Amino acid sequence: MSSIGKVAESLGVSTHALRYYEKIGLLAPVAKTSGGRREFSARDIMRVQFIKRAQRMHFSLDEIRTLIELDKAESVDKPQAQKLVQEKLDAIEESLTDLEQLKVDLVQMLSACLSSGEGEDCPIIEAIKEPSVST
Amino acid sequence: MSSIGKVAESLGVSTHALRYYEKIGLLAPVAKTSGGRREFSARDIMRVQFIKRAQRMHFSLDEIRTLIELDKAESVDKPQAQKLVQEKLDAIEESLTDLEQLKVDLVQMLSACLSSGEGEDCPIIEAIKEPSVST
DNA sequence: TCTTGAGCTAGAGTTGACTCTAAGGTTTAA
DNA sequence: TTAAACCTTAGAGTCAACTCTAGCTCAAGA
C-alpha cells in the first residue's frame, strides 16, 4: 500500500514510467484512494520489480508483456518461454561477437595512434577510410 | 558520377538516407544535373562509405560529423580523435561485461528449463521473479 | 489555515536515424 | 512517343520507452 512516489523512489523508476506501465497494460489498473491517488499493492510492486529485472535482461516491454501473460496462464507454456529466452540469447551472442571484433579494431586504432610520433597525425580517420583487416 | 539510386544500391543505403545525410550536412551539397538530379562524385561516394563504416563501428552520426571535421582540419587533432575512440572503446567494454553476465544468466535459465521434467513448468518466469545469483 | 509538495489527466515532445508520402518533374528504353 | 522507372521537394510519420507540460486537485505539516 504505497503511493506512486514511494514506489518510484524505492525501485528507481519515475512516477511517469509507472503510470505509463499501467497505461499500456503491463500493470493491471492500480487501486485508487477516494482522492484519486494510486495505492500500489505488494502485488503491484512485485510486478514492477519483475518488469525492471526483465528490462535489465534486455527484454522489451512487449516481450515482458508476453512473459507476464505466460505467467498468468495456468501452467507456464514451456516451449514459448523457452523460445523467448533462446531468441534473446541468440541476439546477445550476436552482439557479443560483433562487439568483440569491434573492440579488437578500436584497440588497434588506438595503439596505432598512441605509437604515432609527437608531431605525426593520428591515423584513426585513415583507419576508418581504409579498413585494414575486418569490416 | 552516379545517380542516387546507383549509389544507394551499390552501398546498401536507401536513397532517403543519402538525401538525409546531405540534409544534415554529413555530405557536402551534392552536384545536380540540369534536370535537378543528384550526381554523386567519387569523393561523395567515399564519404558515404566512410559514414557506413563508422556506423558499423557504432559511431553515431553526430560522432561521425566530428570525425569528418577532424579529417578536414589541416592535421588530425590527435587528442580529440583519440578521445572519441577511447570513449567508444570504454562503452563497448561496458556492454561486453554486461552482455557476458547476461549470457550466463540466460544460459542458466534455459538449461533449468530444459532439465525440468516433461509435465513440469519451465522455471523461467520464476527465475526473473527471484534472481538467484546476479541482478 | 495556509502553504508546500505530491498526485491527477490528457496529450504533446524527445531521441536517433531514418522512412514514407504526396504531388509533381525527368530519363530512358522500346 | 509514351510508359515505366527514376528522381525531386517539403514535411509528416515511425519506433521504443519514456519525459514533460499545463492546469488542475488533494494531502500533510507548521
Side-chain angles (χ1 to χ4, degrees):
Chain A
M1 304 307 172
S2 317
S3 68
I4 195 170
K6 295 212 177 101
V7 174
E9 163 108 62
S10 76
L11 301 187
V13 189
S14 77
T15 57
H16 293 292
L18 291 173
R19 283 187 215 103
Y20 173 72
Y21 294 154
E22 184 180 347
K23 188 161 84 179
I24 65 170
L26 276 188
L27 238 45
V30 175
K32 303 265 184 82
T33 65
S34 56
R37 282 149 185 241
R38 285 175 182 77
E39 279 285 270
F40 284 72
S41 69
R43 215 178 141 68
D44 293 328
I45 293 169
M46 274 165 45
R47 170 65 61 85
V48 177
Q49 278 178 325
F50 181 89
I51 294 168
K52 296 320 279 181
R53 290 206 190 99
Q55 270 191 318
R56 264 178 251 131
M57 298 186 138
H58 296 226
F59 285 100
S60 69
L61 295 186
D62 236 44
E63 288 167 333
I64 294 172
R65 187 195 309 283
T66 304
L67 287 172
I68 288 170
E69 266 152 32
L70 283 176
D71 189 38
K72 277 194 290 201
E74 300 267 312
S75 71
V76 176
D77 179 346
K78 197 161 160 174
Q80 204 186 341
Q82 211 177 299
K83 183 161 164 274
L84 264 174
V85 175
Q86 183 66 62
E87 279 169 3
K88 194 52 61 184
L89 188 55
D90 291 348
I92 280 158
E93 278 176 343
E94 213 183 302
S95 290
L96 277 171
T97 307
D98 174 37
L99 292 182
E100 267 150 17
Q101 180 56 57
L102 186 49
K103 180 178 161 179
V104 168
D105 293 348
L106 292 180
V107 164
Q108 198 184 7
M109 278 164 68
L110 212 53
S111 73
C113 178
L114 290 169
S115 67
S116 66
E118 256 310 298
E120 281 178 84
D121 279 358
C122 188
I124 281 173
I125 313 282
E126 297 308 317
I128 302 173
K129 280 187 193 161
E130 293 156 23
S132 56
V133 189
S134 60
T135 306
Chain B
M1 305 306 173
S2 318
S3 68
I4 195 169
K6 293 210 176 104
V7 175
E9 163 110 63
S10 75
L11 300 187
V13 189
S14 77
T15 57
H16 293 293
L18 290 173
R19 283 188 214 101
Y20 174 71
Y21 295 154
E22 185 181 347
K23 188 161 83 179
I24 65 169
L26 277 188
L27 238 46
V30 175
K32 302 265 183 80
T33 66
S34 55
R37 281 147 185 244
R38 285 177 182 76
E39 279 283 89
F40 283 72
S41 69
R43 213 178 142 68
D44 293 328
I45 293 169
M46 274 164 47
R47 171 64 62 84
V48 177
Q49 279 177 326
F50 181 88
I51 294 169
K52 297 320 279 181
R53 290 206 190 98
Q55 270 192 317
R56 263 178 252 130
M57 298 186 136
H58 296 226
F59 285 101
S60 69
L61 295 187
D62 236 45
E63 288 167 333
I64 294 171
R65 185 194 311 280
T66 304
L67 287 171
I68 288 170
E69 266 152 32
L70 283 176
D71 188 39
K72 276 194 291 202
E74 300 267 311
S75 72
V76 175
D77 178 346
K78 198 161 159 174
Q80 204 186 341
Q82 211 177 298
K83 182 161 164 273
L84 264 174
V85 175
Q86 183 65 62
E87 280 169 3
K88 194 53 60 185
L89 188 55
D90 291 347
I92 280 158
E93 279 176 342
E94 212 182 305
S95 290
L96 277 171
T97 308
D98 174 38
L99 292 182
E100 267 150 18
Q101 180 56 57
L102 186 48
K103 180 177 162 180
V104 168
D105 294 348
L106 292 180
V107 164
Q108 198 184 7
M109 278 164 68
L110 212 52
S111 74
C113 177
L114 289 170
S115 67
S116 65
E118 257 308 299
E120 279 178 85
D121 279 359
C122 190
I124 281 171
I125 313 280
E126 297 308 317
I128 302 172
K129 280 186 193 162
E130 293 155 23
S132 56
V133 189
S134 60
T135 306

